[in-house]
Amino acid sequence: MSEQLLEVSGLSRSFGGIAATSDVSLKIARGEIHAVIGPNGAGKTTLVALLAGELAADSGTIRFREGDITLDATPARARRGLARTFQVTSIFSEFSALENVALAAQAHTGHSFRFWKPAAEDAALRQGALEALQKVGLGDASERNAGEMSHGEHRLLEMAMALATNPVMLLLDEPAAGLGPEETTAMVELLQELKQDKGVLLVEHDMDVVFAIADRITVMVSGKTIATGSPTEIRKDDRVRKAYLGEEG
């Protein structure tokens, strides 16, 4: 039986009286890609921010690797093995790909960003950064300036930055956003490889990507989960077809 990595129970967060997430519960195991889908405003990105510790929950609990992390700050969660990527990449365009990844690894240890140059020159950080870049297919681009890289390369670079922190679980917010067909295929192949020894929570609008790689899918509408199941079960669910997939019964 696969190790249970994440267990969320009754997670809720409101903004100005409007529920962004309401009583959300889900479980994710090692070796699983669990996709969260839903229309704009469904609460998906808020959920990821709650899991990453960037937002505090109004109620509910988050357990990770059998420990309660509900009140933990983002750095503490990262040290436990949680890493996230964003809809908008958070890359330093004036630095090389290698420097960006080394900096992410250094920040994970709690050191200041102002020491970026020593980070890029530190042998251990540099080797780890190179391995992360190779993992995502950017090994030959390590010395390129990030500002000169394409959007698709930025998405892969951000993935390398997350991997450099040695996570056991990835929180991925729209990793395929804006990618072309070949780049999307490369991202799908990367995610399928990464899930072999990690857990992955994937927020994604590209349904071709979701149904190609997700082991389970949770559907959110207006902050609530309306269904969780395998891709086949989700396709057949009348509530999902009417509320999100735009189909009649």
Side-chain angles (χ1 to χ4, degrees):
M1 182 176 179
S2 297
E3 175 191 1
Q4 193 74 43
L5 290 179
L6 182 74
E7 183 173 358
V8 179
S9 300
L11 202 62
S12 299
R13 172 64 192 243
S14 295
F15 298 97
I18 299 174
T21 62
S22 180
D23 197 29
V24 173
S25 298
L26 55 82
K27 297 179 181 180
I28 302 177
R30 189 186 293 271
E32 175 187 1
I33 295 180
H34 192 123
V36 178
I37 66 173
N40 290 333
K44 305 182 299 297
T45 294
T46 297
L47 173 62
V48 173
L50 289 168
L51 298 179
E54 290 146 14
L55 289 174
D58 294 331
S59 60
T61 59
I62 305 170
R63 294 185 64 81
F64 181 63
R65 304 180 78 182
E66 300 185 351
D68 190 333
I69 64 169
T70 309
L71 301 180
D72 286 358
T74 300
R77 298 186 194 202
R79 286 192 292 272
R80 284 177 178 261
L82 268 178
R84 81 162 288 188
T85 64
F86 298 82
Q87 285 176 299
V88 178
T89 56
S90 51
I91 291 168
F92 291 97
S93 60
E94 67 271 26
F95 294 168
S96 71
L98 178 64
E99 288 168 341
N100 269 281
V101 179
L103 210 153
Q106 185 190 50
H108 179 66
T109 67
H111 294 112
S112 171
F113 277 97
R114 67 177 177 270
F115 299 124
W116 65 268
K117 188 173 180 60
E121 295 176 353
D122 180 279
L125 287 175
R126 184 181 177 89
Q127 181 60 34
L130 284 170
E131 290 174 359
L133 287 166
Q134 289 167 353
K135 187 83 170 178
V136 304
L138 291 178
D140 293 336
S142 63
E143 300 301 330
R144 283 179 57 197
N145 189 292
E148 300 172 353
M149 301 175 84
S150 70
H151 173 75
E153 289 172 325
H154 278 175
R155 305 305 292 186
L156 292 172
L157 176 56
E158 190 179 40
M159 190 75 75
M161 293 165 66
L163 293 177
T165 67
N166 295 314
V168 296
M169 184 168 178
L170 293 164
L171 307 174
L172 307 181
D173 198 353
E174 303 284 353
L179 300 187
E182 291 185 4
E183 293 171 329
T184 298
T185 297
M187 181 65 74
V188 166
E189 292 175 351
L190 174 61
L191 294 179
Q192 289 173 326
E193 180 181 353
L194 292 177
K195 84 162 192 173
Q196 300 306 314
D197 63 350
K198 305 182 189 301
V200 178
L201 183 143
L202 171 71
V203 171
E204 183 57 61
H205 276 106
D206 189 327
M207 290 300 97
D208 289 336
V209 170
V210 169
F211 284 102
I213 65 174
D215 297 292
R216 288 194 299 154
I217 300 171
T218 290
V219 184
M220 293 184 68
V221 175
S222 300
K224 298 180 179 180
T225 57
I226 64 169
T228 294
S230 68
T232 299
E233 291 169 335
I234 293 301
R235 283 188 186 277
K236 293 180 178 179
D237 192 302
D238 286 341
R239 295 167 300 173
V240 176
R241 292 162 63 186
K242 292 176 181 177
Y244 179 51
L245 298 181
E247 301 175 10
E248 295 299 328

